[in-house]
Amino acid sequence: MNKEQLTGAELVIRGLEYLNVSTVFGVPGGAILPAYDPLYDSPIRHILARHEQGAGHMAEGYAQSTGELGVVIATSGPGATNLITPLANALMDSTPLLAITGQVASEAIGNDAFQEAYTVGLSMAATKHNYLITDASEIPQVLKEAKYIATSGRPGPVLIDIPKDILNQKSDWVEPGPLDLPGYKPTLEPNPKMIQQAANLIKNSNKPILYVGGGIIHSKANQELFDLATKFNIPVVTTLMGRGAFPDGHDLCLEMPGMHGNYTATTSIQKSDLLIAIGVRFDDRVTANPSFFAQNAKVIHADIDPAEIGKVREAQVPIVGDAKSVMLGLINALGDTKLNTENWINELNSMKNEFPLSYNQNENGPLKVPFVLEELQNLTGEEAIVVSGVGQHQMWISQHWNFTKPNTWLNSGGLGTMGYSLPAAIGAKTAYPEKLVLALDGDGCFQMTCQELITASTENIPVKIVVFNNGNHGMVRQWQKIFYNSKFSASELGHVVPDYVKLAESMGAVGLRMTKKSEVKNVFLEMLKINDKPVLIDCVVDPEDMVFPMVPAGGSNDQIILNEEDLKNL
Amino acid sequence: MSERILSVLVEDKPGVLARVSSTISRRGFNINSLSVGPTHIEGRSKMTIVTELDAVEQVKKQLNKLVNVIKIVELDPEMTIETEVLLLKVSINKDSQTSVIEKASLSGANSVDVGQDYAVFELTGSSKELNKFEDLMKPFGIIEMVRGGRIAIQTNL
């Protein structure tokens, strides 16, 4: 065995190299300083974020765009607490993340030392698993375990907390051995009996719907999904996390269901006699009130996480397994079956025609986000990686953008973290320098992490940012309009400050602005010409615009509010 | 409400109890009792968790997600031996002394310490028997009471 004495810090960096980590995001500080010393000499690229939350979202964007592990490094105390939001975000959206945090020296732990926080305790409910290292010799093996736990089964964030004295402690580099995790054995292969039962239900269904989500993307199973849907003519709804798993524009694609889903997608589930749910968790944004959800449907629920099955909705056929294996199994079990879904598809097609998504862009009126999005997509096609914040703009993008490939749509779906867009876009652009990466953000969101524009400039990561500036927390304003008698309590940000163009320039980026329809195309063309710097567009949009369709929280998906007119009947 | 008992084998590592109790409270599960102790196997501890029937499936699944949880067995109520330990300190005086000691001894409790004006009893038994003993002692004035949490084992295993 190859043995040499290294410090704990060197073991961390050597361990990351051993795990083929090429990029890490982070912010240094007292307790983690020893690790930054060997990092300087390592081929691993370190991106210096301006805030640990930003570093965490960057690692998430890197992971979500590649499907591989994202790594973030922070110091003890505030460095670690600032990471809690990205960790919780990654847990909700099942993103494989590894966080390494410095901790105060072992003998100081528990004494309220400078920059001490109980990181393992604080992050316990925000990680899939976490560790406190007590001896430097553990480091290589724990790193290997952590990567395995983060990336296997249902992926998620794992944190390793390392006291400063352990980072300085000398130990042997011992190549990590086989994993010994008696309590962690994810089930990948589905039970063939369950597959057969599922196939039997599908054969007898007249109105099946494939209800699919992020699990397809994590499992890299979009091809198997495509085969299953097209071979047996089964319409597909893709949840917010599953956008891009099945190509928009395909005849069988109904796109997003739920609170702001389109009419046909939401209604197809309500009318379905069989939900083939794969890699989804019956989230409340999809189901609304679960007692009214898909009341006529039997449910096949396949997920890699057994705890998701039966959590919200009882499944007639529960299947624990990886989405890819499940769908291969189903395709095989269905064999030459011909499903008689023609009438069902016709019914859905006429629904699509009768209730299309729409918007109304006046020639001289204020800009509407959906119009701006369509103009941008016309110029950029389907290759861009689109990264959104949270709120109205996020829903409009999911509704109006044409997603045809997995991992091209990054957003904070479960936790709904405002401020996610810009740093996550930086992470994605780091992974794919040659690809167009668009941070399409709201002004409220942007203001939460806009300091990371400096990171983009100084690290030469030329992302393109569109700030939809409606001067408001738009979704909050929308709810206040509908549910709080237009009492706009604390939702107004103002259009004037900051001046986003000047802000961008001061941060080393190019700032542009669009305020009316006639400017949109040219400003985008100008943006697309600039590839050596980040570009930010201040896109001034209508603050009065609302996202429709809408099903109020806790309502029934049978009662969809299609437009402002419908609000009068509430 | 109907109860279910889970026998949970875990790795004996720092923070395991915190992980289990954090998962339970985070998910809002009702837990009637939780006890933990070593097993005959090196590096393994056993937790006995008593929960309600309607929560038991999710409790099992969520706890199973913890990396340090190795195995969860839901005990068959028909084949389960369950016990709990209690220590109870009660006031005594000249008038009550005989009656306290008599009732305790009839209940199967052992006296483990007796002072001028108090006595400490130890009782092992089902939760019901422990509750009953508490009720018996109440009129004499309970000074302090500690219960150890319920533990259980399946008879045919």
Side-chain angles (χ1 to χ4, degrees):
Chain A
M1 211 169 287
N2 166 33
K3 279 191 182 181
E4 58 185 287
Q5 286 264 306
L6 298 177
T7 66
E10 288 165 339
L11 289 171
V12 170
I13 302 307
R14 169 78 75 93
L16 290 174
E17 289 168 5
Y18 176 82
L19 297 173
N20 296 319
V21 171
S22 60
T23 309
V24 298
F25 304 87
V27 181
I32 195 68
L33 258 179
Y36 272 81
D37 191 60
L39 181 58
Y40 189 85
D41 305 314
S42 164
I44 293 174
R45 182 181 183 192
H46 178 269
I47 310 281
L48 173 61
R50 262 48 182 176
H51 188 285
E52 290 85 356
Q53 184 193 351
H57 292 322
M58 286 174 202
E60 287 185 274
Y62 183 94
Q64 286 186 295
S65 60
T66 58
E68 283 162 25
L69 185 73
V71 182
V72 55
I73 301 180
T75 195
S76 63
T81 58
N82 283 342
L83 271 186
I84 298 295
T85 298
L87 289 172
N89 193 70
L91 187 66
M92 277 286 228
D93 288 346
S94 311
T95 304
L97 205 67
L98 172 61
I100 296 170
T101 49
Q103 181 55 276
V104 300
S106 307
E107 81 267 16
I109 289 179
N111 285 331
D112 303 315
F114 177 65
Q115 291 194 329
E116 181 185 1
Y118 178 31
T119 303
V120 166
L122 285 165
S123 63
M124 201 170 271
T127 52
K128 186 171 171 184
H129 192 54
N130 62 16
Y131 297 87
L132 175 68
I133 303 288
T134 54
D135 193 287
S137 64
E138 301 164 23
I139 290 172
Q141 185 71 17
V142 167
L143 278 170
K144 183 179 172 182
E145 262 183 39
K147 180 182 178 179
Y148 175 67
I149 292 170
T151 54
S152 61
R154 179 178 181 173
V158 177
L159 178 140
I160 304 175
D161 199 28
I162 316 177
K164 189 171 186 177
D165 57 312
I166 306 294
L167 287 170
N168 289 324
Q169 183 194 356
K170 290 258 186 185
S171 183
D172 292 329
W173 165 260
V174 180
E175 197 169 317
L179 295 169
D180 176 27
L181 295 165
Y184 181 74
K185 294 191 170 61
T187 304
L188 303 181
E189 286 308 314
N191 181 334
K193 264 194 219 154
M194 292 292 123
I195 293 289
Q196 197 49 55
Q197 281 183 29
N200 292 342
L201 277 189
I202 294 172
K203 281 177 194 169
N204 292 314
S205 162
N206 296 315
K207 296 183 165 190
I209 287 289
L210 271 160
Y211 157 38
V212 301
I216 306 288
I217 291 168
H218 294 303
S219 166
K220 299 181 170 65
N222 51 302
Q223 186 58 50
E224 289 72 15
L225 171 63
F226 190 85
D227 294 346
L228 177 63
T230 53
K231 193 165 178 212
F232 303 102
N233 265 318
I234 308 171
V236 184
V237 300
T238 46
T239 68
L240 184 64
M241 293 311 295
R243 305 283 294 120
F246 191 77
D248 289 354
H250 191 284
D251 277 351
L252 290 169
C253 192
L254 308 178
E255 307 188 8
M256 183 176 77
M259 179 178 274
H260 292 295
N262 72 74
Y263 180 90
T264 308
T266 306
T267 307
S268 72
I269 292 176
Q270 296 303 86
K271 291 184 180 267
S272 160
D273 65 4
L274 178 66
L275 287 186
I276 309 162
I278 306 177
V280 290
R281 56 185 178 88
F282 293 75
D283 177 69
D284 57 79
R285 261 30 183 184
V286 169
T287 63
N289 186 335
S291 353
F292 302 117
F293 180 72
Q295 285 172 299
N296 305 318
K298 290 187 172 148
V299 174
I300 297 165
H301 191 180
D303 204 282
I304 201 159
D305 180 357
E308 288 306 339
I309 299 172
K311 187 182 83 177
V312 175
R313 171 72 178 249
E314 192 200 345
Q316 277 67 44
V317 182
I319 307 175
V320 180
D322 181 60
K324 186 180 279 219
S325 307
V326 168
M327 291 190 292
L328 284 172
L330 287 176
I331 292 168
N332 192 35
L334 286 167
D336 294 328
T337 304
K338 290 273 173 282
L339 293 190
N340 187 16
T341 55
E342 215 164 293
N343 290 341
W344 174 226
I345 290 165
N346 289 340
E347 184 183 340
L348 295 171
N349 279 337
S350 30
M351 225 184 274
K352 277 187 193 171
N353 291 330
E354 198 179 342
F355 301 101
L357 289 168
S358 64
Y359 62 87
N360 189 8
Q361 176 65 60
N362 290 331
E363 206 52 41
N364 298 309
L367 283 173
K368 305 284 187 177
V369 175
F371 168 77
V372 176
L373 290 171
E374 284 183 14
E375 288 292 294
L376 180 55
Q377 182 143 44
N378 287 340
L379 296 170
T380 58
E382 282 145 15
E383 296 304 316
I385 295 175
V386 176
V387 191
S388 111
V390 170
Q392 286 185 314
H393 70 283
Q394 175 192 27
M395 293 297 103
W396 277 315
I397 301 166
S398 180
Q399 288 179 345
H400 292 274
W401 199 267
N402 216 37
F403 292 103
T404 57
K405 294 181 183 73
N407 306 96
T408 57
W409 163 239
L410 316 186
N411 82 131
S412 167
L415 197 66
T417 308
M418 293 172 67
Y420 167 89
S421 172
L422 172 60
I426 292 171
K429 183 74 176 169
T430 308
Y432 294 108
E434 76 290 356
K435 283 196 186 177
L436 175 62
V437 178
L438 299 166
L440 308 182
D441 210 1
D443 50 349
C445 292
F446 179 73
Q447 287 187 29
M448 290 197 179
T449 53
C450 60
Q451 76 284 351
E452 301 306 343
L453 189 49
I454 307 168
T455 308
S457 300
T458 53
E459 299 276 350
N460 191 24
I461 305 166
V463 290
K464 303 193 193 310
I465 304 135
V466 181
V467 177
F468 293 111
N469 174 5
N470 63 3
N472 280 276
H473 286 292
M475 192 59 96
V476 172
R477 186 184 168 88
Q478 175 168 341
W479 282 47
Q480 288 174 332
K481 219 176 196 176
I482 300 173
F483 305 115
Y484 297 90
N485 292 318
S486 291
K487 204 161 142 194
F488 298 121
S489 177
S491 54
E492 200 175 315
L493 298 160
H495 277 288
V496 186
V497 213
D499 180 326
Y500 291 100
V501 173
K502 285 186 183 160
L503 181 81
E505 285 165 356
S506 76
M507 292 181 170
V510 176
L512 304 169
R513 181 173 285 128
M514 54 173 68
T515 57
K516 48 182 193 266
K517 191 180 170 203
S518 57
E519 296 170 340
V520 172
K521 191 175 173 187
N522 284 337
V523 173
F524 277 142
L525 285 172
E526 203 178 333
M527 170 186 87
L528 292 169
K529 269 189 274 180
I530 303 162
N531 288 311
D532 57 343
K533 275 181 171 195
V535 188
L536 180 147
I537 295 176
D538 177 16
C539 176
V540 182
V541 298
D542 185 1
E544 298 306 327
D545 214 1
M546 293 197 275
V547 184
F548 294 107
M550 178 176 185
V551 177
S556 159
N557 277 348
D558 287 324
Q559 284 151 1
I560 300 174
I561 300 168
L562 286 170
N563 48 44
E564 256 184 283
E565 277 299 295
D566 282 1
L567 286 177
K568 292 173 188 152
N569 307 324
L570 261 189
Chain B
M1 214 185 285
S2 196
E3 285 185 338
R4 284 294 178 272
I5 301 178
L6 299 177
S7 184
V8 183
L9 186 69
V10 300
E11 288 184 276
D12 182 16
K13 286 195 171 168
V16 174
L17 179 58
R19 285 178 207 284
V20 168
S21 55
S22 156
T23 301
I24 286 167
S25 68
R26 172 183 166 213
R27 298 278 171 186
F29 298 135
N30 285 323
I31 293 296
N32 301 342
S33 172
L34 189 156
S35 64
V36 57
T39 66
H40 64 292
I41 310 160
E42 178 93 10
R44 300 284 183 265
S45 299
K46 183 65 80 68
M47 293 186 185
T48 306
I49 299 175
V50 185
T51 185
E52 303 292 343
L53 176 62
D54 58 356
V56 71
E57 275 310 311
Q58 268 294 311
V59 174
K60 279 197 283 186
K61 284 173 168 176
Q62 294 296 344
L63 291 183
N64 249 326
K65 287 173 72 163
L66 297 174
V67 170
N68 300 134
V69 169
I70 297 166
K71 195 177 178 194
I72 302 178
V73 178
E74 182 180 344
L75 301 182
D76 182 341
E78 303 291 305
M79 295 191 292
T80 299
I81 295 170
E82 189 200 329
T83 193
E84 188 178 355
V85 64
L86 163 146
L87 287 170
L88 185 141
K89 190 191 285 176
V90 61
S91 295
I92 50 172
N93 52 42
K94 266 187 201 143
D95 299 333
S96 69
Q97 194 168 313
T98 324
S99 177
V100 168
I101 290 169
E102 191 181 273
K103 286 199 158 95
S105 123
L106 283 171
S107 305
N110 299 317
S111 109
V112 286
D113 185 22
V114 183
Q116 280 298 325
D117 51 1
Y118 75 92
V120 177
F121 295 103
E122 173 214 44
L123 178 62
T124 307
S126 71
S127 301
K128 241 188 217 162
E129 287 165 330
L130 267 49
N131 292 341
K132 210 167 160 190
F133 182 62
E134 183 192 344
D135 288 342
L136 273 177
M137 292 293 116
K138 237 178 221 162
F140 304 107
I142 296 173
I143 301 165
E144 200 181 343
M145 187 182 88
V146 191
R147 289 172 70 156
R150 295 153 69 177
I151 54 169
I153 204 162
Q154 206 148 299
T155 53
N156 68 335
L157 286 180

